[in-house]
């Protein structure tokens, strides 16, 4: 559960029943007067989530019993993670998002607007009945000025954008499966929660190629849209889907992507996000195992004061813009590079004083952190924060690391061992 979620403390079903008469018929009292509901009863599950939306967010919601019933705590996790992505990488607070496959409940735009007064949504769906219910949910909460519901007549096309609008994110809860047989197999393998009812229309549960096929199509369409949307994101229901999606992102030349988890009770879902912008998330929860490599670290047999003097001298020698922040625990450099000054060709030109001031089309920014673990052991850590030229970033790191290690008494090609 996200640390800011109001559901970190389990809702009291008994108190909820006292406040909402519509919820009372579904209450079951167990041992010790413990109150619960039958999560295999679709009516009970629907009424629970309707009441949770009203109680915690003052949102009135309705949807057909045979459509996907959105578990509010799980959906809130996704919204809160998107908040973190926006806080990390977007400077404006006026956020415009897209919900792909809004569904009858319209829950993501409703939750997004309830939690963020400056958020607006374009919400799309290929199902006309879902569109009808979603519009009614928007109107009954007087959010017509913040949520636009749009019917998508072409199920083969995922993104339908306004020509004059750029968006901060898109979100999606794609159909998991490619067939009814896959759904049944998923229940057998416990990929779907066997303890809860599994309701949903055909459009909500099944798509060509399952969720892997759908999100792969999202990635391919996103390449054509590029920076029209800052963050492309999707919920992922099956862990086995992640690896082929990451492979496709790499094959598509996308190096800024993250994977996260959404955990509610015993249920784990994943989220994937990718961007054609350079800014990377700093506080949003991500799974490090799936991150592209943009951090490196060197262990050095010298104290941090000695390493700092070396780093400072090298940065000055290479004419790299930087700011310095020194605390008791660490030394931090924020650096910006506009041109390659460390290659052999650049250094030869510098010696002949013929280096012309040039700027790359895609400069990069990075952070250098020097910390100390013991009297004679320190660490030099680099993090690539912004900029699309990965080769340039890595070549700088290898140049810096080589010079620092040699000046710390490490021979080229060796690794320090305590």
């Amino acid at each position: 559960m996200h640390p800011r979620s109001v559901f970190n403390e389990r809702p009291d079903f008994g108190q909820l029943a006292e406040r909402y008469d519509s919820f009372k018929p579904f209450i079951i009292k167990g041992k010790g007067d413990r109150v619960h509901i039958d999560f295999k009863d679709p009516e009970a599950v629907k009424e629970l989530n309707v009441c949770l939306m009203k109680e915690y967010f003052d949102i009135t919601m309705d949807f057909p019993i045979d459509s996907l019933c959105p578990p509010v705590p799980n959906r809130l996790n996704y919204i809160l993670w998107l908040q973190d992505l926006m806080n990390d990488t977007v400077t404006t607070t006026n956020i415009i998002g897209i919900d792909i496959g809004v569904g009858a409940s319209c829950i993501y735009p409703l939750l997004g607007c309830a939690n963020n007064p400056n958020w607006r949504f374009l919400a799309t769906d290929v199902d006309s009945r879902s569109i009808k219910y979603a519009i009614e949910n928007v109107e009954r909460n007087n959010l017509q000025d913040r949520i636009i519901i749009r019917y998508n007549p072409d199920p083969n096309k995922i993104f339908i954008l306004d020509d004059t609008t750029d968006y901060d994110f898109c979100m999606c809860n794609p159909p998991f499966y490619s067939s009814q047989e896959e759904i049944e197999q998923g229940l057998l393998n416990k990929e779907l929660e066997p303890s809860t009812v599994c309701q949903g229309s055909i459009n909500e549960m099944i798509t060509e190629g399952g969720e892997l096929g759908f999100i792969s199509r999202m990635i391919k369409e996103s390449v054509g849209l590029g920076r029209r949307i800052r963050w492309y994101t999707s919920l992922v229901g099956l862990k086995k889907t992640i690896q082929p999606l990451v492979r496709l992102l790499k094959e598509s030349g996308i190096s800024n992507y993250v994977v996260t988890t959404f955990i509610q009770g015993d249920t784990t879902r994943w989220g994937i996000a990718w961007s054609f912008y350079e800014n990377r998330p700093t506080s949003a929860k991500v799974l490090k195992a799936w991150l592209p490599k943009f951090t490196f670290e060197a262990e050095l047999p010298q104290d941090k004061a000695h390493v700092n003097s070396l780093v400072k001298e090298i940065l000055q020698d290479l004419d790299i813009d930087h700011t310095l922040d020194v605390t008791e625990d660490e030394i931090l450099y924020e650096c910006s590079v506009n041109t390659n000054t460390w290659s052999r060709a650049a250094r030869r030109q510098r010696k002949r004083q013929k280096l012309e001031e040039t700027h790359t089309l895609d400069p990069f920014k990075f952070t250098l952190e020097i910390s100390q673990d013991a009297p004679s052991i320190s660490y030099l850590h680099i993090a690539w924060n912004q900029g699309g030229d990965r080769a340039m970033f890595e070549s700088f790191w290898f140049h810096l690391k080589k010079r620092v290690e040699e000046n710390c008494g490490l021979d080229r090609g060796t690794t320090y061992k305590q």
Side-chain angles (χ1 to χ4, degrees):
M1 199 75 72
H2 193 285
R4 292 198 308 277
S5 175
V6 295
F7 299 110
N8 279 301
E9 183 176 338
R10 186 180 184 275
D12 188 318
F13 289 0
Q15 290 183 5
L16 205 62
E18 290 178 6
R19 290 178 57 83
Y20 299 94
D21 290 339
S22 59
F23 189 52
K24 283 183 180 178
F26 304 105
I27 288 297
I28 302 171
K29 288 189 177 181
K31 294 181 179 179
D33 290 332
R34 185 177 182 273
V35 175
H36 62 280
I37 67 169
D38 179 4
F39 280 94
K40 293 184 179 181
D41 179 354
E43 294 281 358
V45 174
K46 174 186 174 179
E47 196 58 39
L48 169 63
N49 286 286
V50 166
C51 292
L52 290 177
M53 287 292 283
K54 188 63 179 178
E55 177 69 13
Y56 287 91
F57 307 105
D58 195 26
I59 291 290
T60 303
M61 181 178 72
D62 188 28
F63 51 89
I65 194 63
D66 61 343
S67 65
L68 196 63
C69 182
V72 178
N74 178 279
R75 300 307 191 250
L76 180 62
N77 276 343
Y78 194 172
I79 290 291
L80 294 175
W81 184 65
L82 282 172
Q83 278 184 349
D84 295 337
L85 275 182
M86 297 300 100
N87 291 338
D88 285 349
T89 60
V90 179
T91 55
T92 181
T93 56
N94 295 314
I95 301 298
I96 307 176
I98 304 170
D99 183 13
I100 301 165
V102 63
S105 68
C106 192
I107 189 166
Y108 283 129
L110 293 175
L111 277 176
C113 289
N115 281 273
N116 305 277
N118 296 319
W119 281 25
R120 291 182 289 139
F121 279 85
L122 168 64
T124 68
D125 207 294
V126 298
D127 182 74
S128 57
R129 187 182 70 158
S130 292
I131 289 290
K132 174 181 176 294
Y133 272 88
I135 290 173
E136 291 172 354
N137 280 319
V138 170
E139 291 176 346
R140 61 170 50 98
N141 291 285
N142 297 312
L143 289 169
Q144 298 95 314
D145 60 334
R146 297 177 61 193
I147 303 173
I148 297 173
I149 306 295
R150 181 169 298 165
Y151 175 65
N152 179 5
D154 184 359
N156 295 314
K157 186 176 182 180
I158 294 174
F159 296 99
I160 50 171
L161 313 183
D162 290 325
D163 293 337
T164 59
T165 304
D166 289 337
Y167 300 86
D168 297 290
F169 69 84
C170 72
M171 63 190 311
C172 181
N173 180 20
F176 284 175
Y177 297 104
S178 62
S179 66
Q180 183 63 39
E181 290 74 22
E182 271 200 7
I183 294 178
E184 294 168 0
Q185 190 62 42
L187 285 168
L188 289 174
N189 296 336
K190 297 185 179 180
E191 290 173 336
L192 289 174
E193 301 85 4
S195 60
T196 61
V197 65
C198 179
Q199 294 286 112
S201 66
I202 294 297
N203 286 331
E204 292 171 321
M205 299 292 289
I206 297 173
T207 189
E208 182 181 352
E211 67 175 8
L212 174 58
F214 191 93
I215 304 172
S216 295
R217 293 191 290 276
M218 282 183 68
I219 294 172
K220 292 172 183 176
E221 282 194 31
S222 76
V223 172
L225 293 170
R227 293 188 172 193
R228 290 290 312 280
I229 302 172
R230 179 174 287 271
W231 281 102
Y232 298 84
T233 80
S234 179
L235 197 67
V236 178
L238 307 172
K239 188 176 182 180
K240 64 183 180 182
T241 303
I242 299 173
Q243 182 61 63
L245 289 177
V246 169
R247 188 181 303 118
L248 179 58
L249 288 170
K250 293 178 179 178
E251 292 171 353
S252 303
I254 301 169
S255 61
N256 190 7
Y257 59 85
V258 294
V259 176
T260 191
T261 53
F262 303 118
I263 300 174
Q264 179 196 349
D266 296 330
T267 302
T268 300
R269 294 289 179 256
W270 294 264
I272 190 166
W274 63 97
S275 177
F276 295 91
Y277 286 83
E278 295 81 18
N279 299 68
R280 292 173 174 79
T282 55
S283 65
K285 178 186 174 183
V286 300
L287 298 179
K288 292 183 178 181
W290 294 102
L291 279 177
K293 187 66 175 177
F294 59 87
T295 64
F296 296 96
E297 188 173 83
E299 183 179 344
L300 304 163
Q302 296 286 349
D303 62 36
K304 66 181 181 181
H306 180 77
V307 174
N308 180 43
S309 66
L310 295 174
V311 169
K312 186 176 182 179
E313 180 182 342
I314 294 169
L315 292 178
Q316 290 174 344
D317 177 54
L318 298 176
D319 290 328
I320 291 177
D321 293 334
H322 61 273
T323 60
L324 176 63
D325 182 23
V326 180
T327 67
E328 183 179 348
D329 297 323
E330 63 184 16
I331 300 168
L332 200 66
Y333 286 89
E334 297 289 347
C335 306
S336 179
V337 172
N338 289 312
T339 187
N340 185 332
T341 57
W342 57 88
S343 67
R344 289 183 179 180
R347 283 179 283 148
R348 283 197 298 268
Q349 285 181 318
R350 284 163 63 86
K351 287 181 180 180
R352 294 195 295 265
Q353 297 183 339
K354 293 182 180 179
L355 181 62
E356 297 180 359
E357 185 65 22
T358 58
H359 296 277
T360 65
L361 294 175
D362 199 3
F364 69 87
K365 296 181 180 180
F366 62 93
T367 302
L368 286 170
E369 179 184 308
I370 305 168
S371 59
Q372 189 165 324
D373 191 39
S376 60
I377 301 174
S378 60
Y379 296 90
L380 176 61
H381 179 91
I382 190 171
W384 177 25
N385 299 327
Q386 184 175 329
D389 194 336
R390 179 185 181 85
M392 188 175 178
F393 165 71
E394 290 188 351
S395 71
F396 168 76
W397 165 247
F398 294 134
H399 175 85
L400 175 67
K401 179 172 178 284
K402 174 189 172 185
R403 289 178 65 173
V404 171
E405 286 182 340
E406 288 178 349
N407 281 279
C408 285
L410 293 176
D411 294 331
R412 185 175 180 181
T414 65
T415 302
Y416 171 64
K417 298 293 184 183
Q418 185 178 358

